[in-house]
Each structure stands twice: as C-alpha cells, then as structure tokens.
Amino acid sequence: MSAPARRRMRSASISLGITAVMASSLTGCASSADYAAVCVDPDTQERVADDQCDDDSDYNGSGSGFFWYYLGASSRVPAIGQTTSGGTFRGSTLNGTVQRGGLPSTGGSTVRSSTTKGGFGGSSRGFG
C-alpha cells in the first residue's frame, strides 16, 4: 500500500490579501482633468447641451454653430442656459488634460470636482 499524496494548501489570507491590493490599485486612483469643456453658443455665450458640439475645431470669432468652451480646473461649471465666463474657445492652446463634455448640466460644482474619476477609463485627452 502506498502513502497518500500530499496536497499543497495555499493560505486563504494570502489570496485575499493579493486580491485586495489589486482591487485598490485599479479603483483607488483618482485623477482629474486640468480643463473641461462645455458646449456653448458663441453669439450668446450661453451653455447648451453637450451633444450640440461635435467638432474639435476652435472657435476663431467667425462661423456658426456651437463650440467647445474650455474651463480651468478651479472654474465653476455653468448650468445649461447660463452665461459662461472665465474660459476660452481655444482648446488647441491649452497644456494639460482636457475632458470634453460630461460635466453636470445643472452646473454649480467646480471643474476639478466634476472630472474626478476613480479607477481606469474616462474621457480625458492630453494636449501639449
């Protein structure tokens, strides 16, 4: 009669510990954009729904339609229908990460608090 084969047992606490570390590294990272854009009617300077903007081109003082208006991280987000100020239509001149759209339509918060994302993913794009 032969001796039974020895089974190698892993500690459940090691597996759980590794899982916890991996999960926190994937979801615990928070980042925010340096700038965020809202869609604006350049004639009235009023914010409109973000789905009205579909082009990456800068507004250069002429042309019709709606254009992205870039706000800095500490700027307040205007609600749809409110007048914008303190930003620029010239996104090509910005250095840092930019998020187009996705800011609350009701406004009120800052760009930085509105663009903070956890984990991977997001809609930020780098300039510069």
Side-chain angles (χ1 to χ4, degrees):
M1 198 157 128
S2 65
R6 289 187 111 186
R7 285 182 58 198
R8 192 171 190 184
M9 308 274 292
R10 272 192 195 168
S11 169
S13 62
I14 291 174
S15 295
L16 289 175
I18 291 172
T19 302
V21 168
M22 292 300 294
S24 66
S25 69
L26 292 174
T27 60
C29 300
S31 64
S32 58
D34 298 309
Y35 303 92
V38 293
C39 191
V40 171
D41 178 346
D43 293 332
T44 63
Q45 293 290 115
E46 286 184 5
R47 182 179 178 193
V48 298
D50 290 339
D51 60 2
Q52 299 294 317
C53 286
D54 60 356
D55 194 346
D56 291 352
S57 62
D58 288 349
Y59 177 70
N60 59 12
S62 64
S64 61
F66 304 106
F67 294 86
W68 291 111
Y69 186 79
Y70 301 91
L71 300 165
S74 61
S75 300
R76 301 289 288 168
V77 177
I80 290 177
Q82 286 184 334
T83 304
T84 57
S85 64
T88 181
F89 283 105
R90 302 196 187 265
S92 60
T93 64
L94 303 175
N95 290 316
T97 57
V98 176
Q99 175 179 313
R100 280 198 181 95
L103 296 177
S105 61
T106 56
S109 60
T110 64
V111 168
R112 183 159 313 259
S113 65
S114 297
T115 60
T116 299
K117 302 262 187 261
F120 47 90
S123 57
S124 293
R125 161 182 146 187
F127 277 93

